[in-house]
Amino acid sequence: KQATREQRKRITHILKEKPSLKNLYPYSVYMLLKLYSEVPFRNTYSDLNLKDKTKNFVNIPNKGVITLQMKQYKNVKQLGQTEIKLSRGATIQLKKFIKYREGLVDHDWLFSGRGGKKLTRPALGKLLHRNTKRLLGGTGFGSRLIRVLAATASKADIEKVAALSKKMLHTTKQTQQYL
């Protein structure tokens, strides 16, 4: 979240200018950090499509929040296809970003690299490492550490559920089925 705030400060002047491919990249960095602070995916953000509903898809309703329709990811066989709702704030920012990128790129993928082509998974990992290092100092980090930090932030809740499951003498999956 700190890196997101810092990147937002650095691009505020860019957002006032006419949209350009050169300015799309720093704006993309901001949007990726914003999304990672809310939904800590692996490098799956590079696979989000705006038009093809058979792939991982960004569903943008006229009213309400944006949902991410996840159909192709590492554990899809175990968890199945899923829908992830974004917060109202992330929805507003993502709608602005999508509007900004219109006409700048010639593909339907949500994120682009510096040259305007689809952002690949390896390029996304490098983008995260490079920019977290630049924004926060020290060594950079990628999606794995973001996921570890997200799990650590929820430690108390996870421990409560584990303790309840232990008291009930079954798995957390069975506890969830009771709900």
Side-chain angles (χ1 to χ4, degrees), residues 6 15 21-22 28 39 55 64 87 89 99 111 125 135-137 140 142 149 152 155 162 164 168 172 174 178:
E6 184 61 34
L15 301 178
L21 192 57
K22 179 185 174 201
S28 295
V39 184
K55 299 186 178 350
S87 68
K99 187 174 181 180
F111 292 107
L135 294 166
L136 302 174
L149 293 170
T152 303
K155 181 181 177 187
L164 176 63
M168 297 175 81
T172 54
Q174 182 63 47
Y178 283 155

Side-chain angles (χ1 to χ4, degrees), residues 100-119:
Y100 185 92
R101 69 180 284 288
E102 285 176 7
L104 297 178
V105 292
D106 58 355
H107 58 77
D108 296 328
W109 300 100
L110 181 59
F111 292 107
S112 305
R114 285 192 192 272
K117 302 289 183 213
K118 177 190 183 290
L119 184 67

Side-chain angles (χ1 to χ4, degrees), residues 57-61 65-69 83-86 91:
F57 178 69
V58 181
N59 186 18
I60 308 164
V65 296
I66 289 176
T67 57
L68 306 177
Q69 308 288 326
E83 177 180 277
I84 297 170
K85 289 184 178 184
L86 297 181
T91 294

Side-chain angles (χ1 to χ4, degrees), residues 33 36-37 40 128 132 141-151:
L33 292 171
Y36 268 112
S37 68
L128 286 173
T132 52
F141 54 88
S143 58
R144 176 141 193 245
L145 187 56
I146 291 170
R147 293 166 61 81
V148 168
L149 293 170

